[in-house]
Amino acid sequence: MDVRNPSDRFRALRARISGLGEPPGADRGEPGQPLTVGEWALLIDDIVDHAEDNTDPLWNVDPGTSRPYDAIFVGGGASGRFGAAYLRARGGRALIIDRWPFLGGSCPHQACVPHHLFSECARELDLARQLSGKLWFGEFDSSRARITEVVELFKRGRSLPHAVMNWQSKEQLDLEFVLNTPATVLDEHTVEAAGRRFQGENLVLCTGARTVVPDIPGIDLPGVFDFASLVERLDYEPTRCVIIGGSKVALEYGSFFQATGCQTTILTRSPLMSTAGLHHVDDGLRDYVVAMMVDRGIEVVEGAEPVEVLGDSRVTGVRYRTADGRTVDVDSDFVFVGTGERPDLKMYDALGLEVDERGFVVADATMRTSVPSVYAVGDLIGPPMEMFKARKCGMTAARNIMGEHYEYDFTEYPDFLHTTYEVSWCGLSEAEAKARYPKVIKLQMPPDDADPESFPLPAAEGSMLYAFTRPLLSGWFKLLIDADSRRIVGAHHVGFGAKDAFQYIDHLIRRPEGWTIDDMAELSELFLNPEHFIQLSRLRAGKLELVDL
Amino acid sequence: MDVRNPSDRFRALRARISGLGEPPGADRGEPGQPLTVGEWALLIDDIVDHAEDNTDPLWNVDPGTSRPYDAIFVGGGASGRFGAAYLRARGGRALIIDRWPFLGGSCPHQACVPHHLFSECARELDLARQLSGKLWFGEFDSSRARITEVVELFKRGRSLPHAVMNWQSKEQLDLEFVLNTPATVLDEHTVEAAGRRFQGENLVLCTGARTVVPDIPGIDLPGVFDFASLVERLDYEPTRCVIIGGSKVALEYGSFFQATGCQTTILTRSPLMSTAGLHHVDDGLRDYVVAMMVDRGIEVVEGAEPVEVLGDSRVTGVRYRTADGRTVDVDSDFVFVGTGERPDLKMYDALGLEVDERGFVVADATMRTSVPSVYAVGDLIGPPMEMFKARKCGMTAARNIMGEHYEYDFTEYPDFLHTTYEVSWCGLSEAEAKARYPKVIKLQMPPDDADPESFPLPAAEGSMLYAFTRPLLSGWFKLLIDADSRRIVGAHHVGFGAKDAFQYIDHLIRRPEGWTIDDMAELSELFLNPEHFIQLSRLRAGKLELVDL
C-alpha cells in the first residue's frame, strides 16, 4: 500500500481489523497483526476526513460461529458499548452496529470529550486573564484566544480517543461490531446493515439524543450552532455570542466562549441551574456559580423568551421577550442553542414502541420497552442524559438479557457541571434538607457572613493561585448534616479537583446505614484536599449537639 | 489609633481579640467587636513584618472561670489545634500556646500551604512550557518565571489563611490560646508563657519537626535552604539547583524549581519514592512519575552520597560520591535540603520522655508518652509526617483525655505527592498484591504494551490539553484486584483531580467486608472523571473469571 494515499491506507488498515464477516467477494487485503491504537487512529481519520471515498463498513464479526446473537446493540455509544461489553463478559454474544467508524458515540466525537477540553481551556484562559501580566503570565492577548483554534485542536486529536475505544473494544473486550454503516431496524429481532441481515434474540436501542432546536424564525441561519455543529462546521471566529437556553451545555459552553473573549449572553426562561434537568441544586452553590460567571463578564438574562434569530444571509442578533413583556435585541454573530436534547425515533417506526409525552421511549427499570425483546437505554429513555446513566442502562439491559433480574433506578446520583470551575454536588440541597429534617447544620466555607474578598477558603489543588491573588475566586463548599441522626445528607462544592470524590461520597451518604459526621471524621484526609469535608467534620464531630461551622 | 502605624494598629487590634486573661496592668485598649478575618490578617502581618516592635503576646484566655485546664496544648499546629478543638467540642477546657501569632503551625506559614502554591505553579508553568506559542499561550518567557516572585506572592498572602484559622478557632471553635510567645514546659502539668504559669491536668506536646541537615562541610554556606528558610530568606533568583535528598519534599520542590527554569539535579541515596517514608509505591507508578520528571529536564542521580557543599562565601556547587565510588561535582548557586525531618526535643528535657533510636518521642496508640499525663502527637512521634496523622493524633489525645479509650493506628492511609502532576495511591502495590494473593488482575491505562505517545488514556480534568497535544503526558493509573475474592486491593493514579477521591477509596477498600470490582461498577461515575476506576470496573465486572484490562 501507499501509506500516503488515504484510500490505499484505508483498505490496508481495514483489512487488518479482522476482515471477517463481510460479504463474499469483498475487496480486501490480507489480515495481519491487530491494529495498534495509532493505526486505528489513522483509519478513523481517513474515514472522517474522506468520508466520500471510504464508505465501506468496518467488519469485525466472527464468521466461525453460527451461534445466534443474544443481543444486537443499535448504536455503539456509551450505552451500547458498555452494554455489549457486559453481555460479552457474561458469556453472551453481542453485535454492535454504528453509523460512525468508531465506538463511543457522540461523546468522544462531538459532545463530552470536546466539552471537557473546552472546559479545561476555559479554566486555563480564566487563569491567564486573572493573572495577566503577573508572575510568568504575559499580558493576556485576547486575539490569540480563538474558539476556532481550540475546535481545530480537538478535531486534529479526536481520532486517538476514538482509536483507544475501538482498540479496547476489539482487543480487550472481545466485541463484535460493524461500523461506518447505518442500521435499519426491520423488526424486533432483525437489523440490516450494509446489505446484510442480522438476527438477535433481543435488540438494545442505543442511539441517543440530539439538540432540540427552538421553532423560531431565523433559527436555520448560518451562524446558529449546537454542540455538534460547532465542532463540525464553525469556520469563522465569533466575537459576540448569544446562547439560547439555560441547560448545562449553555453554562459550560458559555463559560468557554466568554473565557476566549467572545462576549456571551445567556438567554434562559428559568433561572440558571433551576431547570428540570438539574435537581438538588443548593441556593448557595447556585449563587456562587452564577456570581462567578457574571464576574467573568457573562450576561445572564433569566425569564427571557427568544423570539427570533435576526439576520438576512447570516446571524446578526437575537430578539427576545423579557419577563415583563418588553422586546430586546442583542447583536450577535454567533448563536448557540443549549435548550436540551430529545431522541430521534423515526428509525424505530417498524417497532411501534410506546413513547411518553415528552418524546422519550418508555422503558421499565430493566430497560425493557413495550415491545417484547426490545430494550431501550441511555438518552432515548429521558434524563438525566449523563454518561453514567447511559452506561449503567446498557449494563442493566445486558444483565437482564443474560437471565439475571436486575433493576436500575437512576433517580439519585452525584451531579456536576463546568463553568470556569468544576461544580459538583450530591444528596440534598440545604432547602430540601431543612424541609425534611427538623435540625440541619452545615459546614461551609466561606461562611455566609464572611467577606469573601478576604476569605480564601482552605484552598487546594487548582485554587491556590486564586486564593493568593483574589480570594473571592477560590471556591465555595457546603456539607449538610441532619443533627439528630448525625448523618450527612448533602454535599456541594465549587472549585477544582473534588468532582471525583463526589462519586464516592454519593455512595457513602446513600448507604442504608448512612454516613455520619463521625464516620467522615475518621477518614485520612490528604492535605490540602479540595473539599475539606473530612477535616471540617473532625473539627465538629466532638460535639454531642452539632452546630454549624 | 493611626491605622497607618503598624504599632498603633497592633495595639488596637490586639485589644479587640478579647483582651481577657492577660496580666493586670497590661496596656490595652477597649475590647470591641470580634476581629474579622481581614483584621486578623492585618494584626498577623504587623507582627510578622515588625516582629521586634510587636512582641506582646496575643491573649485569648477566659478569666471568668477558675476551672482547670483538661489539657494544655504546647504548639498550635495541625495536631494541637485539632486536638484542642476536639477536646473543647467534648466539653473540656483546653489552652493552646504557640510562639507564632497564628494557629495552624508551620503548615500555612512555611510548609504545606506554600508547597501547594508552588506545586500549582509547577503545574501551570509546565502547561505554559508545553504549549509555548500554541493556542493563547505566548512564547514561554523563562526570565519571567521566578522562584523569588512566587515566594513573595506567598508571603504577601499567607496572613489570610492564618487569619482564617485564628478567626475560626476563636469565633467558631471557642478555643483559648496565648500566641506570639514561647512556652516553657516546667513539669508534666505546668507550662509557663509570657511570665504566667498555666496548670493542666494533661499536657499535649505538638511542636512538630524540622529538617535534618546533613552533617557535611559547607552545609552552612549562604545559598543552602530548606522549605522553611526558602520562604523566609531567599533573596536572589537561583539558576542552578542541587537537591540533597530524595524525600517527598525533594520531588515536590524540585519539580517546582525545574518548572521555573532553574535546572535541578536531585541527589538521592535510595531510588526516588523507595525511601522508608513512602510505602506501597507501585513500580509502574514510580516509573511514570520519574520518567515524567526526567521528561521535564530534571536530573535524577540515585545512589548518590553528598560529600560537600562547595563554595567560599556562598554556594558554588555540590560534590557527591556515586554508587560506584566516583566523585562528581555539580555547579549550583542554590542547594535545597530535602532529607527528611526530626523533632527538636530540647524544650521537653524537664519531662524525661522516652525517645526511640531515631529521635522520636515514644507514644502508644492513645498518644500517651512514658510520662503520666503527657501526650505526644503529630511529627513528634515519627512518620508519616502528614497532616491527617497530626490532626487525628490530636483528636486521639483529646478523646482519651476526656475519658474515652480510643486508639489510632496510622500505619495504613492513602498517600500522595506532587510533581507537576498529582500522584495518589492507596492499598497495595502490584508487587505487594502479587505476593499476597495467588491471582491479581489489573485495570490499567495506558496498558503496559501500549505506545504511550499515541495512547491518550481516558483523559479528564486537567489532562485534556496534554491528551490533545502530547498523549504521553496525560497520566497513568492502575487498579489492582484479587481475582478470587474480587476485592480491590490497590489503587494508583498520576494525573490531576483524583487525589480527593483516594481519601474515600482508601476507606472503601479497607472495610472489613471489602470493596469489590462489582461494588465499584455499581457507582455513578461523573464523566470524564480522572481515575476512571468505576467505568473500567464495569467493563470487566461481568466476567466470572476476572482478567486484566
Side-chain angles (χ1 to χ4, degrees):
Chain A
M1 75 169 175
D2 178 353
V3 292
R4 291 159 306 182
N5 180 318
S7 291
D8 276 11
R9 196 168 57 196
F10 169 75
R11 274 195 295 276
L13 291 172
R14 174 175 169 273
R16 278 180 45 210
I17 300 171
S18 80
L20 304 171
E22 58 195 298
D27 170 24
R28 49 178 296 272
E30 288 306 302
Q33 287 298 308
L35 295 196
T36 64
V37 169
E39 289 171 331
W40 266 116
L42 280 176
L43 176 60
I44 294 165
D45 263 346
D46 285 342
I47 298 174
V48 171
D49 295 346
H50 307 276
E52 61 293 347
D53 299 331
N54 298 319
T55 56
D56 288 349
L58 306 181
W59 294 95
N60 179 48
V61 176
D62 183 358
T65 175
S66 58
R67 181 182 167 191
Y69 289 107
D70 296 286
I72 297 173
F73 291 81
V74 181
S79 55
R81 195 173 86 96
F82 270 69
Y86 207 94
L87 189 136
R88 181 75 193 118
R90 281 282 164 97
R93 191 176 185 207
L95 178 70
I96 300 174
I97 303 171
D98 201 288
R99 67 187 170 99
W100 272 326
F102 48 83
L103 296 162
S106 64
C107 163
H109 200 59
Q110 295 169 336
C112 0
V113 172
H115 144 211
H116 276 72
L117 176 63
F118 300 161
S119 291
E120 183 166 314
C121 290
R123 179 256 187 286
E124 294 298 333
L125 282 161
D126 187 58
L127 204 56
R129 286 178 178 277
Q130 300 288 345
L131 292 170
S132 175
K134 295 178 189 157
L135 300 170
W136 64 89
F137 292 87
E139 295 294 333
F140 186 76
D141 178 358
S142 202
S143 72
R144 292 196 53 159
R146 296 168 61 82
I147 299 170
T148 41
E149 210 173 328
V150 178
V151 168
E152 276 310 306
L153 176 73
F154 170 68
K155 287 171 77 170
R156 280 198 307 276
R158 67 180 166 182
S159 61
L160 276 179
H162 294 336
V164 168
M165 267 188 269
N166 281 13
W167 173 86
Q168 181 190 63
S169 300
K170 179 173 177 300
E171 307 304 334
Q172 295 190 304
L173 302 176
D174 195 26
L175 296 182
E176 295 180 62
F177 49 76
V178 186
L179 303 180
N180 203 32
T181 191
T184 304
V185 176
L186 299 177
D187 64 38
E188 65 266 39
H189 295 290
T190 316
V191 183
E192 190 174 272
R196 187 166 159 193
R197 288 191 180 191
F198 295 94
Q199 292 285 126
E201 298 286 326
N202 300 276
L203 298 189
V204 187
L205 312 182
C206 323
T207 43
R210 57 171 66 174
T211 301
V212 180
V213 178
D215 183 21
I216 56 174
I219 198 72
D220 295 325
L221 280 173
V224 180
F225 295 86
D226 72 353
F227 67 89
S229 58
L230 176 81
V231 166
E232 303 302 342
R233 297 207 313 260
L234 184 70
D235 58 0
Y236 65 101
E237 186 60 31
T239 62
R240 183 73 179 84
C241 173
V242 171
I243 296 185
I244 296 177
S247 67
K248 269 190 190 182
V249 169
L251 275 73
E252 292 170 333
Y253 283 69
S255 295
F256 167 57
F257 301 149
Q258 181 73 28
T260 66
C262 177
Q263 173 60 46
T264 296
T265 298
I266 297 179
L267 303 180
T268 172
R269 287 181 203 175
S270 314
L272 282 187
M273 303 187 70
S274 71
T275 54
L278 297 182
H279 64 351
H280 305 316
V281 175
D282 186 87
D283 287 341
L285 178 123
R286 175 191 184 276
D287 289 349
Y288 186 80
V289 169
V290 175
M292 290 299 99
M293 291 177 68
V294 170
D295 186 84
R296 269 62 174 194
I298 295 176
E299 185 186 20
V300 177
V301 186
E302 297 178 337
E305 178 77 27
V307 175
E308 183 178 355
V309 176
L310 306 172
D312 294 328
S313 60
R314 58 182 304 112
V315 165
T316 59
V318 175
R319 179 167 298 161
Y320 68 93
R321 196 158 37 237
T322 64
D324 57 4
R326 289 175 300 118
T327 297
V328 180
D329 289 356
V330 195
D331 288 345
S332 171
D333 60 356
F334 178 58
V335 172
F336 185 83
V337 179
T339 41
E341 293 158 60
R342 291 287 180 280
D344 180 0
L345 302 178
K346 275 200 297 292
M347 68 184 287
Y348 304 125
D349 281 351
L351 298 174
L353 298 170
E354 186 186 344
V355 173
D356 72 15
E357 71 286 352
R358 301 165 302 167
F360 295 106
V361 177
V362 174
D364 65 16
T366 69
M367 306 302 136
R368 280 190 185 88
T369 68
S370 60
V371 177
S373 82
V374 177
Y375 293 74
V377 295
D379 296 350
L380 276 184
I381 62 172
M385 297 198 188
E386 295 290 351
M387 184 60 63
F388 73 87
K389 191 206 80 182
R391 290 165 167 173
K392 290 175 80 171
C393 283
M395 174 185 76
T396 301
R399 293 170 85 146
N400 283 287
I401 289 168
M402 293 305 290
E404 176 186 4
H405 180 80
Y406 181 89
E407 300 193 355
Y408 172 36
D409 172 4
F410 47 77
T411 50
E412 292 298 336
Y413 49 89
D415 209 350
F416 91 103
L417 59 80
H418 285 114
T419 57
T420 53
Y421 296 90
E422 296 165 31
V423 182
S424 312
W425 68 99
C426 65
L428 303 178
S429 70
E430 184 173 342
E432 291 168 338
K434 285 183 166 168
R436 190 173 304 181
Y437 302 104
K439 186 179 174 201
V440 174
I441 68 116
K442 58 183 176 180
L443 314 183
Q444 180 183 313
M445 292 270 175
D448 286 329
D449 55 357
D451 167 21
E453 292 284 4
S454 69
F455 202 104
L457 86 171
E461 322 293 340
S463 58
M464 297 300 291
L465 278 163
Y466 289 140
F468 279 87
T469 52
R470 195 168 159 224
L472 171 66
L473 309 184
S474 62
W476 182 95
F477 58 80
K478 181 195 282 184
L479 190 70
L480 294 162
I481 297 152
D482 165 30
D484 293 326
S485 68
R486 304 176 72 86
R487 281 187 179 193
I488 292 163
V489 297
H492 309 269
H493 185 271
V494 188
F496 305 96
K499 166 186 167 187
D500 213 19
F502 274 76
Q503 302 170 137
Y504 304 95
I505 296 172
D506 178 69
H507 164 76
L508 291 169
I509 70 174
R510 292 199 290 108
R511 300 183 315 167
E513 66 272 31
W515 179 250
T516 66
I517 187 173
D518 309 286
D519 296 330
M520 191 68 103
E522 292 286 335
L523 298 189
S524 297
E525 69 274 23
L526 296 176
F527 191 81
L528 293 165
N529 63 348
E531 35 68 278
H532 300 277
F533 294 154
I534 300 169
Q535 55 267 48
L536 291 181
S537 290
R538 191 178 305 121
L539 283 176
R540 270 303 182 236
K543 278 204 178 290
L544 299 181
E545 292 281 329
L546 292 174
V547 294
D548 288 351
L549 185 70
Chain B
M1 76 170 175
D2 178 355
V3 293
R4 290 159 306 181
N5 179 316
S7 291
D8 277 9
R9 196 168 56 198
F10 169 74
R11 274 194 296 277
L13 292 171
R14 174 175 170 273
R16 277 179 46 209
I17 300 171
S18 80
L20 304 172
E22 58 196 298
D27 170 25
R28 48 176 297 269
E30 289 305 305
Q33 288 296 309
L35 296 194
T36 64
V37 168
E39 289 171 329
W40 267 116
L42 280 176
L43 176 59
I44 294 165
D45 263 346
D46 286 342
I47 298 175
V48 170
D49 294 346
H50 308 275
E52 62 293 347
D53 299 330
N54 297 321
T55 57
D56 289 347
L58 306 181
W59 294 95
N60 180 48
V61 177
D62 183 356
T65 176
S66 58
R67 180 180 168 194
Y69 289 107
D70 296 287
I72 298 173
F73 290 81
V74 182
S79 55
R81 195 173 86 96
F82 270 69
Y86 207 93
L87 188 136
R88 182 77 193 116
R90 280 283 163 97
R93 190 175 184 207
L95 178 70
I96 300 173
I97 303 171
D98 201 288
R99 67 187 170 97
W100 271 325
F102 47 83
L103 296 162
S106 63
C107 162
H109 200 58
Q110 296 169 336
C112 359
V113 172
H115 145 212
H116 276 72
L117 176 63
F118 300 161
S119 291
E120 184 166 315
C121 290
R123 180 256 186 286
E124 294 299 333
L125 282 161
D126 188 58
L127 204 56
R129 286 178 179 278
Q130 300 288 345
L131 292 170
S132 175
K134 295 179 188 155
L135 301 169
W136 64 90
F137 292 86
E139 296 294 333
F140 187 75
D141 178 358
S142 203
S143 72
R144 292 196 54 158
R146 296 168 62 83
I147 298 170
T148 41
E149 211 174 327
V150 178
V151 168
E152 276 310 305
L153 176 72
F154 169 68
K155 287 171 77 170
R156 278 199 308 276
R158 68 179 165 182
S159 60
L160 277 178
H162 294 336
V164 168
M165 266 188 269
N166 281 13
W167 173 86
Q168 181 190 62
S169 300
K170 180 173 177 300
E171 307 305 333
Q172 295 189 304
L173 302 176
D174 196 24
L175 296 182
E176 295 180 62
F177 49 76
V178 186
L179 303 179
N180 203 32
T181 191
T184 304
V185 176
L186 299 178
D187 64 38
E188 65 266 40
H189 294 291
T190 316
V191 183
E192 191 174 272
R196 187 168 159 193
R197 288 191 180 190
F198 295 93
Q199 293 286 127
E201 298 285 326
N202 300 276
L203 299 189
V204 186
L205 312 182
C206 321
T207 44
R210 57 173 66 174
T211 302
V212 180
V213 178
D215 184 21
I216 57 174
I219 198 73
D220 295 324
L221 280 173
V224 180
F225 296 85
D226 73 351
F227 67 88
S229 58
L230 176 80
V231 166
E232 302 302 341
R233 296 207 313 262
L234 184 71
D235 57 0
Y236 65 100
E237 186 60 32
T239 62
R240 183 73 179 83
C241 173
V242 172
I243 296 185
I244 295 177
S247 67
K248 269 189 189 183
V249 170
L251 275 75
E252 293 170 332
Y253 282 69
S255 295
F256 167 57
F257 301 148
Q258 182 73 28
T260 67
C262 177
Q263 172 60 45
T264 295
T265 299
I266 297 179
L267 303 180
T268 172
R269 287 180 200 174
S270 314
L272 281 187
M273 302 187 71
S274 71
T275 55
L278 298 181
H279 64 350
H280 305 316
V281 175
D282 186 87
D283 287 341
L285 177 123
R286 176 191 184 279
D287 289 350
Y288 186 79
V289 169
V290 175
M292 289 300 100
M293 291 177 69
V294 170
D295 186 84
R296 269 62 175 194
I298 295 177
E299 184 187 21
V300 177
V301 186
E302 296 178 337
E305 179 77 26
V307 174
E308 183 179 353
V309 177
L310 306 172
D312 294 327
S313 59
R314 59 182 304 111
V315 165
T316 59
V318 174
R319 178 166 298 159
Y320 68 93
R321 198 160 34 239
T322 64
D324 57 4
R326 289 175 300 116
T327 298
V328 179
D329 291 355
V330 194
D331 289 344
S332 171
D333 59 356
F334 179 57
V335 172
F336 186 83
V337 178
T339 41
E341 292 159 62
R342 290 287 180 282
D344 180 1
L345 302 178
K346 275 200 298 292
M347 69 185 287
Y348 304 125
D349 281 351
L351 298 175
L353 299 169
E354 187 185 344
V355 173
D356 72 16
E357 69 286 352
R358 301 165 302 168
F360 295 107
V361 177
V362 174
D364 65 17
T366 69
M367 306 301 136
R368 281 193 185 87
T369 68
S370 60
V371 176
S373 83
V374 177
Y375 293 73
V377 295
D379 296 351
L380 277 183
I381 62 172
M385 296 198 188
E386 296 289 352
M387 184 60 63
F388 73 87
K389 191 205 81 180
R391 291 165 166 174
K392 290 174 81 171
C393 283
M395 174 185 75
T396 301
R399 293 170 86 146
N400 283 285
I401 288 168
M402 293 305 291
E404 178 187 3
H405 181 80
Y406 181 88
E407 300 191 356
Y408 173 35
D409 172 5
F410 47 77
T411 50
E412 292 298 337
Y413 49 89
D415 209 349
F416 92 103
L417 59 81
H418 284 115
T419 57
T420 53
Y421 296 90
E422 297 165 32
V423 183
S424 312
W425 68 99
C426 65
L428 303 178
S429 69
E430 184 173 343
E432 290 169 337
K434 285 183 167 166
R436 190 173 303 181
Y437 302 102
K439 187 178 174 203
V440 174
I441 68 115
K442 59 183 175 181
L443 314 183
Q444 180 183 313
M445 293 269 174
D448 286 328
D449 56 359
D451 168 19
E453 292 284 5
S454 69
F455 202 103
L457 85 172
E461 321 295 339
S463 58
M464 297 301 292
L465 279 164
Y466 289 139
F468 278 87
T469 51
R470 194 167 159 227
L472 171 66
L473 308 185
S474 63
W476 182 95
F477 58 80
K478 181 196 281 185
L479 190 69
L480 294 162
I481 297 152
D482 165 31
D484 293 326
S485 68
R486 303 177 72 86
R487 281 187 178 193
I488 292 163
V489 297
H492 308 269
H493 184 270
V494 189
F496 305 96
K499 165 187 168 187
D500 213 19
F502 274 76
Q503 305 170 135
Y504 304 95
I505 296 172
D506 178 69
H507 164 76
L508 292 168
I509 69 174
R510 291 198 291 108
R511 299 183 315 167
E513 65 273 31
W515 180 251
T516 66
I517 187 172
D518 309 286
D519 296 329
M520 191 69 104
E522 292 286 337
L523 297 189
S524 297
E525 70 274 23
L526 296 176
F527 191 81
L528 293 164
N529 63 348
E531 33 69 276
H532 299 278
F533 293 154
I534 300 169
Q535 54 268 46
L536 291 181
S537 290
R538 190 177 307 119
L539 282 175
R540 269 304 182 234
K543 278 204 179 287
L544 299 181
E545 293 279 330
L546 292 175
V547 294
D548 288 349
L549 185 69

